[in-house]
Amino acid sequence: IHLSLGRSLRSNGQLDAAIASFQKAIELKPSLCYAHIGMGETMLDKGRYAEARAALERAVELLPDNDTNEELLTQMIENCARLEKLEERFPALVEGQEQPASAQEFLDIAVMCRHKQMHAAAVRFAVEAYAADPGLGNNLDSGYRYDMARSAARAASGEGEGAADLDDNERSRLRMQALNWLRADFALHTNQLKTGSPDDRTEALASLSHWQLVSDFTDLRDNNSLAKLPTEERAEYTRHWTEVAEVLTKLEQDGISAFGENGHEEANQPMAGNQ
């Protein structure tokens, strides 16, 4: 119960409450690896990289044999280690006193900015990262491009450090950047649905379903909010959400749900897919 509650709280952005729930689950059952995963993911969301790494390393120790999450957890642990190393340089990098050394480092700084609620800065570094290495955005397991779309949407709505001072042109640019990143991920997800394994299809469906619910996109999804956007933007976003809804409707008609093709929730699917 505490594990499920922690996942729900994390999904809704209530990170401190999620940490408390995962901690309670661990106290009740220290060997529950998925509670350690939830703790690690949430600590990562909070920008507490050393604690995130420790929780994820403990989760790997507790994983059942041949668990499909081991590779992704190992990747997350490596990510935490890189972000830990960047913490000392972070102020100088954000202020332009230093320049990131690679496309991956641009992306790491973008992720750190997001964790610190610096959404406009996160977008700026992510744009540089994907321009230098477009392939970085195609890792759906990391969820980074989707999270950068969320940051772009939040900055366009005036959220985060410095976003309240953005002018209309900059807000429009951010909204369209969010859409471009969403469309890129949408193309990959629809390909998963066409050619992927059953697990890939379930993951794609869960991700697209999440898009319709996550609050970051409310101003770009709600009809009343869309009506306030310039005509071209409104048309592009309307088309996007219509296409997402059509895909989900078709899958529902085919008897496939976000809980798997048999209609039951998969118990061993702890990874949220976005950080």
Side-chain angles (χ1 to χ4, degrees), residues 19-48:
I19 288 171
S21 289
F22 290 130
Q23 185 59 49
K24 185 64 176 178
I26 291 168
E27 290 172 5
L28 292 169
K29 188 174 182 180
S31 63
L32 186 59
C33 64
Y34 300 124
H36 291 277
I37 292 173
M39 180 69 80
E41 290 178 318
T42 310
M43 288 296 186
L44 186 54
D45 291 340
K46 292 277 289 183
R48 292 161 60 174

Short mmCIF file of all heavy atoms in Angstrom, two decimals, residues 19-48:
data_model
loop_
_atom_site.label_atom_id
_atom_site.label_comp_id
_atom_site.label_asym_id
_atom_site.label_seq_id
_atom_site.Cartn_x
_atom_site.Cartn_y
_atom_site.Cartn_z
N ILE A 19 8.48 10.39 -0.71
CA ILE A 19 9.65 9.87 0.00
C ILE A 19 9.23 9.25 1.32
O ILE A 19 9.69 8.16 1.70
CB ILE A 19 10.67 11.00 0.22
CG1 ILE A 19 11.35 11.37 -1.11
CG2 ILE A 19 11.73 10.58 1.25
CD1 ILE A 19 12.22 12.60 -1.05
N ALA A 20 8.31 9.91 2.04
CA ALA A 20 7.84 9.37 3.31
C ALA A 20 7.13 8.03 3.12
O ALA A 20 7.30 7.10 3.92
CB ALA A 20 6.90 10.37 3.99
N SER A 21 6.36 7.90 2.04
CA SER A 21 5.65 6.65 1.79
C SER A 21 6.62 5.52 1.42
O SER A 21 6.48 4.39 1.89
CB SER A 21 4.63 6.85 0.67
OG SER A 21 3.55 7.65 1.11
N PHE A 22 7.59 5.84 0.57
CA PHE A 22 8.58 4.82 0.22
C PHE A 22 9.38 4.40 1.46
O PHE A 22 9.70 3.22 1.63
CB PHE A 22 9.51 5.33 -0.87
CG PHE A 22 8.86 5.47 -2.21
CD1 PHE A 22 8.98 6.64 -2.95
CD2 PHE A 22 8.12 4.44 -2.77
CE1 PHE A 22 8.39 6.78 -4.19
CE2 PHE A 22 7.52 4.56 -4.01
CZ PHE A 22 7.65 5.75 -4.73
N GLN A 23 9.72 5.35 2.30
CA GLN A 23 10.47 5.04 3.52
C GLN A 23 9.67 4.11 4.42
O GLN A 23 10.21 3.15 5.00
CB GLN A 23 10.84 6.32 4.27
CG GLN A 23 11.71 6.09 5.49
CD GLN A 23 13.01 5.40 5.15
OE1 GLN A 23 13.71 5.81 4.23
NE2 GLN A 23 13.34 4.33 5.87
N LYS A 24 8.36 4.35 4.53
CA LYS A 24 7.51 3.48 5.34
C LYS A 24 7.45 2.08 4.75
O LYS A 24 7.51 1.08 5.49
CB LYS A 24 6.10 4.08 5.44
CG LYS A 24 5.17 3.31 6.37
CD LYS A 24 5.65 3.33 7.81
CE LYS A 24 4.69 2.64 8.73
NZ LYS A 24 5.18 2.61 10.14
N ALA A 25 7.35 2.00 3.44
CA ALA A 25 7.34 0.68 2.78
C ALA A 25 8.64 -0.07 3.07
O ALA A 25 8.63 -1.28 3.33
CB ALA A 25 7.14 0.85 1.28
N ILE A 26 9.75 0.64 3.03
CA ILE A 26 11.05 0.02 3.28
C ILE A 26 11.16 -0.43 4.74
O ILE A 26 11.70 -1.51 5.04
CB ILE A 26 12.19 0.99 2.91
CG1 ILE A 26 12.23 1.18 1.38
CG2 ILE A 26 13.54 0.50 3.43
CD1 ILE A 26 13.11 2.32 0.92
N GLU A 27 10.62 0.38 5.66
CA GLU A 27 10.65 0.00 7.07
C GLU A 27 9.85 -1.29 7.30
O GLU A 27 10.26 -2.16 8.08
CB GLU A 27 10.08 1.12 7.94
CG GLU A 27 10.97 2.35 8.01
CD GLU A 27 10.29 3.52 8.71
OE1 GLU A 27 9.16 3.33 9.20
OE2 GLU A 27 10.88 4.62 8.75
N LEU A 28 8.71 -1.41 6.61
CA LEU A 28 7.85 -2.58 6.77
C LEU A 28 8.43 -3.81 6.09
O LEU A 28 8.25 -4.94 6.56
CB LEU A 28 6.46 -2.29 6.21
CG LEU A 28 5.63 -1.26 7.00
CD1 LEU A 28 4.40 -0.86 6.21
CD2 LEU A 28 5.23 -1.85 8.35
N LYS A 29 9.14 -3.58 4.96
CA LYS A 29 9.72 -4.71 4.22
C LYS A 29 11.02 -4.25 3.57
O LYS A 29 11.04 -3.83 2.41
CB LYS A 29 8.75 -5.23 3.16
CG LYS A 29 9.22 -6.53 2.51
CD LYS A 29 8.16 -7.09 1.57
CE LYS A 29 8.64 -8.41 0.95
NZ LYS A 29 7.62 -8.98 0.03
N PRO A 30 12.13 -4.32 4.30
CA PRO A 30 13.41 -3.81 3.78
C PRO A 30 13.85 -4.45 2.47
O PRO A 30 14.62 -3.85 1.72
CB PRO A 30 14.39 -4.15 4.91
CG PRO A 30 13.54 -4.22 6.14
CD PRO A 30 12.24 -4.80 5.69
N SER A 31 13.37 -5.66 2.16
CA SER A 31 13.78 -6.34 0.94
C SER A 31 12.93 -5.98 -0.27
O SER A 31 13.15 -6.53 -1.35
CB SER A 31 13.71 -7.86 1.15
OG SER A 31 12.37 -8.28 1.41
N LEU A 32 11.99 -5.06 -0.12
CA LEU A 32 11.09 -4.69 -1.22
C LEU A 32 11.86 -3.79 -2.20
O LEU A 32 11.93 -2.58 -2.04
CB LEU A 32 9.86 -3.98 -0.68
CG LEU A 32 8.75 -3.65 -1.68
CD1 LEU A 32 8.22 -4.90 -2.37
CD2 LEU A 32 7.61 -2.90 -0.99
N CYS A 33 12.41 -4.39 -3.23
CA CYS A 33 13.32 -3.65 -4.12
C CYS A 33 12.60 -2.49 -4.80
O CYS A 33 13.20 -1.44 -5.04
CB CYS A 33 13.95 -4.58 -5.14
SG CYS A 33 12.82 -5.34 -6.29
N TYR A 34 11.32 -2.64 -5.12
CA TYR A 34 10.61 -1.59 -5.85
C TYR A 34 10.39 -0.34 -5.00
O TYR A 34 10.28 0.76 -5.52
CB TYR A 34 9.29 -2.13 -6.40
CG TYR A 34 9.50 -3.28 -7.35
CD1 TYR A 34 8.89 -4.50 -7.13
CD2 TYR A 34 10.37 -3.16 -8.43
CE1 TYR A 34 9.11 -5.58 -7.99
CE2 TYR A 34 10.60 -4.21 -9.29
CZ TYR A 34 9.97 -5.43 -9.07
OH TYR A 34 10.20 -6.47 -9.91
N ALA A 35 10.37 -0.50 -3.67
CA ALA A 35 10.31 0.67 -2.80
C ALA A 35 11.62 1.44 -2.85
O ALA A 35 11.65 2.67 -2.83
CB ALA A 35 9.99 0.24 -1.37
N HIS A 36 12.74 0.71 -2.94
CA HIS A 36 14.04 1.36 -3.07
C HIS A 36 14.15 2.06 -4.43
O HIS A 36 14.73 3.14 -4.53
CB HIS A 36 15.16 0.34 -2.92
CG HIS A 36 15.29 -0.21 -1.53
ND1 HIS A 36 15.96 0.44 -0.52
CD2 HIS A 36 14.79 -1.36 -0.98
CE1 HIS A 36 15.91 -0.28 0.59
NE2 HIS A 36 15.20 -1.38 0.33
N ILE A 37 13.58 1.44 -5.46
CA ILE A 37 13.56 2.09 -6.78
C ILE A 37 12.77 3.39 -6.70
O ILE A 37 13.20 4.44 -7.18
CB ILE A 37 12.96 1.16 -7.84
CG1 ILE A 37 13.87 -0.02 -8.10
CG2 ILE A 37 12.72 1.92 -9.15
CD1 ILE A 37 13.29 -1.09 -9.02
N GLY A 38 11.57 3.32 -6.11
CA GLY A 38 10.75 4.53 -5.97
C GLY A 38 11.48 5.61 -5.18
O GLY A 38 11.42 6.79 -5.54
N MET A 39 12.17 5.20 -4.12
CA MET A 39 12.94 6.17 -3.34
C MET A 39 14.03 6.80 -4.19
O MET A 39 14.24 8.02 -4.17
CB MET A 39 13.55 5.47 -2.13
CG MET A 39 14.38 6.39 -1.24
SD MET A 39 13.34 7.59 -0.36
CE MET A 39 12.73 6.55 0.98
N GLY A 40 14.74 5.96 -4.95
CA GLY A 40 15.82 6.49 -5.79
C GLY A 40 15.31 7.44 -6.85
O GLY A 40 15.89 8.51 -7.07
N GLU A 41 14.21 7.08 -7.52
CA GLU A 41 13.64 7.94 -8.55
C GLU A 41 13.21 9.28 -7.96
O GLU A 41 13.41 10.35 -8.57
CB GLU A 41 12.44 7.25 -9.20
CG GLU A 41 12.80 6.06 -10.07
CD GLU A 41 11.57 5.40 -10.65
OE1 GLU A 41 10.56 5.23 -9.94
OE2 GLU A 41 11.62 5.03 -11.84
N THR A 42 12.61 9.24 -6.78
CA THR A 42 12.10 10.48 -6.17
C THR A 42 13.24 11.34 -5.67
O THR A 42 13.20 12.58 -5.80
CB THR A 42 11.12 10.14 -5.03
OG1 THR A 42 10.16 9.20 -5.49
CG2 THR A 42 10.39 11.40 -4.58
N MET A 43 14.27 10.74 -5.09
CA MET A 43 15.45 11.51 -4.69
C MET A 43 16.10 12.15 -5.92
O MET A 43 16.59 13.29 -5.85
CB MET A 43 16.46 10.60 -3.98
CG MET A 43 16.04 10.17 -2.59
SD MET A 43 15.93 11.59 -1.45
CE MET A 43 15.61 10.73 0.10
N LEU A 44 16.08 11.45 -7.04
CA LEU A 44 16.61 12.02 -8.27
C LEU A 44 15.78 13.22 -8.70
O LEU A 44 16.32 14.26 -9.10
CB LEU A 44 16.63 10.96 -9.37
CG LEU A 44 17.28 11.31 -10.70
CD1 LEU A 44 18.70 11.82 -10.51
CD2 LEU A 44 17.27 10.10 -11.62
N ASP A 45 14.45 13.09 -8.61
CA ASP A 45 13.57 14.23 -8.91
C ASP A 45 13.89 15.44 -8.04
O ASP A 45 13.76 16.58 -8.47
CB ASP A 45 12.10 13.85 -8.67
CG ASP A 45 11.57 12.84 -9.66
OD1 ASP A 45 12.16 12.70 -10.75
OD2 ASP A 45 10.55 12.18 -9.35
N LYS A 46 14.29 15.17 -6.81
CA LYS A 46 14.59 16.25 -5.86
C LYS A 46 15.99 16.83 -6.06
O LYS A 46 16.35 17.82 -5.42
CB LYS A 46 14.48 15.72 -4.42
CG LYS A 46 13.08 15.36 -3.99
CD LYS A 46 12.31 16.57 -3.50
CE LYS A 46 12.82 17.06 -2.17
NZ LYS A 46 12.01 18.22 -1.66
N GLY A 47 16.80 16.20 -6.93
CA GLY A 47 18.16 16.66 -7.12
C GLY A 47 19.10 16.22 -6.01
O GLY A 47 20.18 16.79 -5.85
N ARG A 48 18.72 15.17 -5.28
CA ARG A 48 19.56 14.63 -4.20
C ARG A 48 20.26 13.38 -4.75
O ARG A 48 19.85 12.25 -4.52
CB ARG A 48 18.68 14.33 -2.97
CG ARG A 48 18.16 15.62 -2.36
CD ARG A 48 16.96 15.43 -1.44
NE ARG A 48 17.20 14.58 -0.30
CZ ARG A 48 16.30 14.37 0.69
NH1 ARG A 48 15.13 14.99 0.62
NH2 ARG A 48 16.57 13.56 1.69
#
